[in-house]
Amino acid sequence: MPTHPVLISSDQIQKRIRQLSREIRSHYKNKDLVILGLLNGSLFFLVDLLRHLPDRLEIECWRLRSYPAGHRQSSGKVEGLKEGHGNFKNKHVLIVDDILDTGLTLSSVKQRLTELGACDVKICVLLKKKKKRQRPITAKWSCFEIGDEFVFGYGLDYDGYYRQVPEIRTLKV
Ligand code: XMP
């Protein structure tokens, strides 16, 4: 795929995940932690991060959607929140997602977890865009900050494809 330049290589991703996992391990030492992965985008990031985290934690996954197929802009609505399962009451929850863009998805998930009784909710993302968010939300941990470009690979799709591309590439159309 030479037309779509590599933005972040696979080696850079793995190196940064190892750094981040050290911080996460020390932050949650002696706490009951639930990792909540948001699918499909966090698929590879979630698995690679989990390889470096302790065995004693719970894992939940919610399947959400905010981009209509074939679009490069959020629909402004997050689907799938009410179907999300798991016991979050009085738990420390770490949401793991692919990208913090407008902030709509992560702020909706955070609010839902508070309704479900979580005592602490933090966010860990692979990427965060530099732009101004539509919702006031921050990620405690993020691997890389990028510009306002559409990217795919390492879990992120374009129109449902290219998730398994091992690096992150910028879409050029
Ligand atoms: P928001 O806007 O709610 O982002 O912060 C929610 C979801 O939108 C997807 N997203 C992208 N997907 N390339 C992608 O493949 C991108 O540049 C991009 N920006 C946002 C992603 O699934 C994210 O969780």
Side-chain angles (χ1 to χ4, degrees), residues 102-125:
T102 63
L104 179 71
T105 305
L106 284 163
S107 64
S108 311
V109 172
K110 198 170 173 184
Q111 190 189 327
R112 181 77 186 128
L113 286 169
T114 307
E115 287 165 13
L116 293 172
C119 66
D120 180 76
V121 180
K122 294 201 168 21
I123 293 170
C124 172
V125 289

Side-chain angles (χ1 to χ4, degrees), residues 66-67 97-99 101-105 129 149-151 156-157:
S66 63
Y67 274 37
D97 201 9
D98 53 357
I99 187 165
D101 189 344
T102 63
L104 179 71
T105 305
K129 287 193 176 171
E149 55 211 315
F150 192 87
V151 293
L156 293 122
D157 72 309

Side-chain angles (χ1 to χ4, degrees), residues 20 23 27-28 94 122-125 128 138-142:
L20 218 88
E23 292 176 29
H27 182 87
Y28 288 106
L94 178 62
K122 294 201 168 21
I123 293 170
C124 172
V125 289
K128 78 176 174 197
T138 52
K140 178 153 180 73
W141 293 283
S142 65

